[in-house]
């Protein structure tokens, strides 16, 4: 089910190369189809959104927008224990993200010059939330709460209608708890285009965040520039570093927790212990039998899963930084010792009792993370994702006079004489 290889400079390199190429290439047919949808929504607004919603979802509600009363009703009728769990998760997410906030600053110098930076939340953000069987209330919390903490004035959520024409109730519950301002029923590329351009019913937003299928991801990619986006996410992935004392049942369970997402998901174990490697193989076989998505797990582990037996801990660290995984678990003795050396990971989980689902649902750090090696240069979704910054400058006549020769010298050197003249005319 999951292959075991020894790191010899050849076998593991072939595996890592396969891993890097696992993300679906953008299908030209998908791009053509999405471009057509985007153009139609831009030209025809609500009419086009209705047409594509009927075509792809089979049902289009009379009104796109869900009322506040319907959101409250979903919350009132929800399982109280589920609501309580979401509330506790919200508290942790809010607490973590509040610590990410930056303050505007002003630097008033003794010579009369004033410099500064102003930070404020975006005006309106769109949150795309998949519906149907891939409905994840946790994603609503993780996307909406940082936006709220950042000071975004309005959060607009859009989600595909169910076959009944309504919304997934769990999604509405999460939206109410997270403080989403407005909810609309539409899905796919047409929903992304509606948020990017605005229609008669759906407001235009400044940024679109949230997961989706290949059509949603392609629409976000094509519309970047018209609107900001969070990232174009690839398949989920986990990398585990484990020494000989790591509990094999824990390791196997955590590998499968990501493999169940998608047949393209990647689950890799790095270890120095051949004994642990074999134990994990057996645990995967035994545990997977009782899991609801065992076929997906089996396919994922067969195609993009591996156990790599490394020569030492330093090699594990080297490969972890090279792979730059979305999720990195460190099941090692004294895991905190490695934290300062692990530079490329979306989120790091330290010790035997910090499994990846803890981060997905509850601990507080965001679960929207860079994938496909982009943790080398991208960061998790955060408060910073929902703010904009402006700098400002105030100079007195005397201080501009003091700086004028330097400014004109640099401008003239660059051949921008009008820049130099803008300074010169003042004196």
């Amino acid at each position: 089910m999951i292959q075991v290889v020894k790191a010899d400079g050849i076998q593991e390199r072939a595996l890592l190369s396969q891993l890097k190429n696992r993300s679906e290439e953008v299908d030209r047919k998908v791009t053509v189809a999405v471009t057509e949808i985007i153009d139609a929504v831009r030209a025809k607004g609500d009419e086009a959104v209705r047409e594509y919603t009927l075509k792809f979802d089979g049902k289009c509600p009379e009104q796109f927008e869900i009322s506040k009363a319907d959101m409250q009703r979903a919350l009132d009728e929800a399982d109280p224990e589920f609501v309580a769990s979401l509330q506790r998760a919200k508290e942790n997410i809010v607490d973590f993200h509040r610590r990410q906030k930056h303050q505007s600053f002003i630097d008033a110098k003794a010579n009369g010059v004033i410099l500064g930076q102003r930070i404020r939340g975006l005006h309106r953000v769109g949150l795309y939330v998949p519906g149907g069987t891939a409905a994840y209330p946790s994603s609503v919390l993780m996307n909406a709460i940082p936006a709220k903490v950042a000071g975004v004035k309005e959060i607009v959520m859009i989600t595909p209608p169910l076959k009944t024409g309504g919304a997934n109730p769990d999604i509405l519950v999460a939206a109410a708890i997270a403080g989403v301002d407005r909810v609309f029923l539409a899905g796919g590329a047409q929903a992304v285009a509606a948020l990017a351009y605005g229609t008669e019913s759906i407001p235009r937003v400044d940024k679109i965040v949230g997961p989706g299928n290949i059509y949603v991801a392609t629409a976000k990619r094509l519309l970047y520039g018209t609107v900001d986006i969070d990232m174009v996410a690839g398949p989920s992935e986990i990398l585990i570093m484990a020494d000989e004392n790591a509990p094999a049942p824990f390791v196997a369970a955590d590998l499968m927790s990501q493999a169940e997402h998608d047949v393209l998901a990647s689950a890799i174990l790095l270890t120095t212990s051949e004994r642990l490697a074999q134990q994990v193989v057996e645990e995967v076989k035994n545990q997977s039998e009782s899991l609801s998505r065992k076929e997906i797990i089996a396919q994922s582990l067969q195609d993009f899963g591996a156990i790599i037996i490394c020569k030492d801990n330093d090699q594990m660290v080297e490969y972890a930084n090279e792979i730059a995984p979305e999720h990195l678990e460190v099941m090692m003795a004294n895991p905190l010792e490695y934290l300062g050396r692990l530079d490329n990971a979306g989120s790091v989980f330290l010790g035997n009792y910090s499994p990846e689902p803890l981060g997905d649902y509850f601990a507080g750090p965001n679960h929207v993370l860079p994938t496909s090696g982009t943790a080398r240069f991208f960061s998790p979704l955060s408060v910073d994702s929902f703010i904009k910054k402006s700098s400002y400058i105030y100079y007195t006549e005397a201080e501009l006079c003091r700086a004028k020769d330097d400014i004109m010298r640099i401008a003239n050197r660059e051949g921008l004489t009008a820049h130099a003249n803008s300074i010169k005319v003042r004196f």
Side-chain angles (χ1 to χ4, degrees), residues 25 150 353:
E25 293 183 7
Y353 294 93

PDB file of all heavy atoms in Angstrom, residues 25 150 353:
ATOM      1  N   GLU A  25      -1.860  19.372 -13.617  1.00  0.00           N
ATOM      2  CA  GLU A  25      -1.534  20.444 -14.536  1.00  0.00           C
ATOM      3  C   GLU A  25      -2.838  21.131 -14.948  1.00  0.00           C
ATOM      4  O   GLU A  25      -3.889  20.500 -15.028  1.00  0.00           O
ATOM      5  CB  GLU A  25      -0.821  19.892 -15.770  1.00  0.00           C
ATOM      6  CG  GLU A  25       0.559  19.326 -15.449  1.00  0.00           C
ATOM      7  CD  GLU A  25       1.273  18.865 -16.705  1.00  0.00           C
ATOM      8  OE1 GLU A  25       0.741  19.109 -17.819  1.00  0.00           O
ATOM      9  OE2 GLU A  25       2.348  18.273 -16.588  1.00  0.00           O
ATOM     10  N   ALA A 150      -8.710  41.440  11.482  1.00  0.00           N
ATOM     11  CA  ALA A 150      -7.976  42.446  10.711  1.00  0.00           C
ATOM     12  C   ALA A 150      -8.767  43.736  10.540  1.00  0.00           C
ATOM     13  O   ALA A 150      -8.199  44.771  10.179  1.00  0.00           O
ATOM     14  CB  ALA A 150      -7.609  41.882   9.338  1.00  0.00           C
ATOM     15  N   TYR A 353       1.630  14.291  20.737  1.00  0.00           N
ATOM     16  CA  TYR A 353       0.248  14.656  21.049  1.00  0.00           C
ATOM     17  C   TYR A 353      -0.164  15.981  20.413  1.00  0.00           C
ATOM     18  O   TYR A 353      -1.017  16.694  20.942  1.00  0.00           O
ATOM     19  CB  TYR A 353       0.050  14.663  22.570  1.00  0.00           C
ATOM     20  CG  TYR A 353       0.183  13.258  23.129  1.00  0.00           C
ATOM     21  CD1 TYR A 353       1.409  12.799  23.591  1.00  0.00           C
ATOM     22  CD2 TYR A 353      -0.894  12.389  23.110  1.00  0.00           C
ATOM     23  CE1 TYR A 353       1.549  11.493  24.052  1.00  0.00           C
ATOM     24  CE2 TYR A 353      -0.771  11.077  23.571  1.00  0.00           C
ATOM     25  CZ  TYR A 353       0.458  10.632  24.034  1.00  0.00           C
ATOM     26  OH  TYR A 353       0.587   9.344  24.474  1.00  0.00           O
TER      27      TYR A 353
END
